[in-house]
Amino acid sequence: MASTTVARYLLGRLNELGIDHVFGVPGDFNLGFLDDVAADDTITWVGACNELNAGYAADGYARVRGAGAVVTTFGVGELSAINAVAGSYAESVPVVAITGMPATDVAAAGAVLHHTLGDGDYQHFSRMFAEITVARTTLCAHNAAAEIDRVLGRLLRHRRPVHINLPTDVVTAPCPPPTAPLTATEDPGTDPVILKAFVAHCARLLAPARTVTVLTGHHIDRHHLHDTLADLVEAGGSGIRTAAFCLGKGTLDETSPAFAGIYTGALSSESTRRAVEEADCLILAGAELTDLDTGGFSHHLDATPTITLHPDHAIVGPTRYDTLGLAPALEALAGLLREQPSLRPEPRPEPGEAAPAPTAAGTDRLTQEELWDRLASRLEPGDILVSDLGTASFGAQELRLPAGARFICQSLWCSIGYALPAALGAQLAAPDRRCLLVIGDGALQLTAQAIGTAARYGAAPVIVVLNNDGYTVERAIHGATARYNDVAAWNYTALPAAFGAGDHALTERATTGDELSTALSRAAAAHRAGRVALVEAVLDREDTPQLLDAVCRRLTSQNAY
């Protein structure tokens, strides 16, 4: 049998996962592997300015493409990326973290090399990754193929990060080529007895229900179950209502009359809260109950008969059904509603015609309310809307997405600065779609170099910077006038040129609603022409979205300042 090398085997498996861009930073322990990356005509190397940006970009890429990869060097490089990998783990994003490490015999001898802690232990950093990955390995020449398949199989099974140490001497070691497609490992399958009992229990719960609401979370997206979820909603007929947590935004058709909005516990709009909390039966699909998603745990779901669907089990009332995955559970529920129309809820009332929203004059100073109204009117079908945490996320989650649009926001891990490099990754993952990023000035300052990376690799996101003079979300929680919530007053429209974008970028500055509309029109044209667009939207530092104010008041109480 003809052989390949470990590096080419690994790259082939990455490509099989749908990965055609790899993000990272070169270092002396990964340069041999990067030679193979550069020579591979199916994968493009994207060199970031630092490993944290590379990890965030791989995360954003994975949310759109299904998997992502970040390559770093040993010690200093991998630890710079570890925050990004932790965020991917928290939010169930399948990222392959590849570390170039010293040669096998050098590590075995415990030699005191640079990038080590100087104590001869070469497993410190691997142990650190143990808490934020579902599988890890240090490749050897004799077991590389089997170990790569095992680790990537775990990534497919759990939709969470994995970590691969690739010693310099193993990169070019001979390796047999794959003999079968990559598959998920340790998948127990669906026990037909458990599935039958689950369906029967759901039928009993649904039988008396006159109103049913499906409330979704992020696992629907990570397991690629948008269409399966849509089938369930369709099977329920005109009686089903739908809602999503912020983490699950984009998993439902928000143009449908069934969509009741984004649920944030007691802080939700009254119509959304009632649709969720007053339903006769609630189907909680692929969701986790987090503090921000539930408005500081202000939700009231305990009294509602609930069918809860997790990635590896389901719960109906008090009964847990182990080894029952999301996909078979959703499919079974859809089949149940189709086969027994009597279980469908009563038709919901036709929605009334919404009153037109008041609009500002357009020439007055730009406000949060007007900004989100103007942005909402510019969203297009198929857009990828990305928002950073804070003012951006709490405004963006209330926007109704057009058909086929996606939403990316790290609202569980909440690492500010994530969204800019994540938008770069998302744009490279889907170059035929427009990536629209909304990010605060404080968040942008953490990862601003990604603007230059986007231009360098031909990505053309539209970046809207909310310049409200500091960490507004922190001001709303505590320290409204404290100096620690201030940031430097950057010249944001000068950043693309400073980072090398040159003619590949358009910059605009808006202080009124009319200026913002003009800027967004020009930005859309720039995107179509393949240019990065940065729009600075100048806002008052004390002007915040209503939802952000409400959530921050609860966080202030929760933190007991």
Side-chain angles (χ1 to χ4, degrees), residues 82-102:
I82 203 167
N83 177 54
V85 177
S88 299
Y89 183 88
E91 302 205 354
S92 297
V93 181
V95 170
V96 185
I98 302 167
T99 298
M101 70 173 292

Side-chain angles (χ1 to χ4, degrees), residues 63 91-92 159 214-230 232-233 243-244 247-253 283-288 309-311 325-327 329-331 406:
R63 291 179 192 234
E91 302 205 354
S92 297
R159 314 306 300 173
V214 179
L215 177 59
T216 65
H218 64 294
H219 292 299
I220 296 295
D221 178 74
R222 307 303 188 264
H223 291 262
H224 312 297
L225 295 174
H226 301 78
D227 292 342
T228 308
L229 178 66
L232 168 61
V233 174
L247 267 171
K249 185 175 177 64
T251 59
L252 294 160
D253 178 4
I283 300 174
L284 194 59
E288 306 292 343
L309 310 179
H310 290 291
L326 263 176
L330 288 168
E331 292 165 356
R406 293 284 303 274

Side-chain angles (χ1 to χ4, degrees), residues 378-468:
R378 297 308 176 107
L379 289 177
E380 301 174 0
D383 275 352
I384 301 172
L385 176 62
V386 185
S387 77
D388 215 287
L389 184 74
T391 306
S393 62
F394 285 99
Q397 77 175 57
E398 295 298 299
L399 299 182
R400 286 285 178 114
L401 296 179
R406 293 284 303 274
F407 182 65
I408 295 175
C409 179
Q410 199 188 56
S411 57
L412 172 56
W413 187 241
C414 299
S415 188
I416 65 168
Y418 158 83
L420 177 55
L424 159 66
Q427 188 68 87
L428 290 175
D432 57 335
R433 301 171 69 175
R434 181 177 68 159
C435 192
L436 176 61
L437 166 67
V438 187
I439 186 169
D441 51 350
L444 179 84
Q445 291 193 14
L446 271 76
T447 53
Q449 311 96 321
I451 296 171
T453 309
R456 180 182 175 195
Y457 289 95
V462 173
I463 303 166
V464 179
V465 183
L466 308 184
N467 182 0
N468 49 10

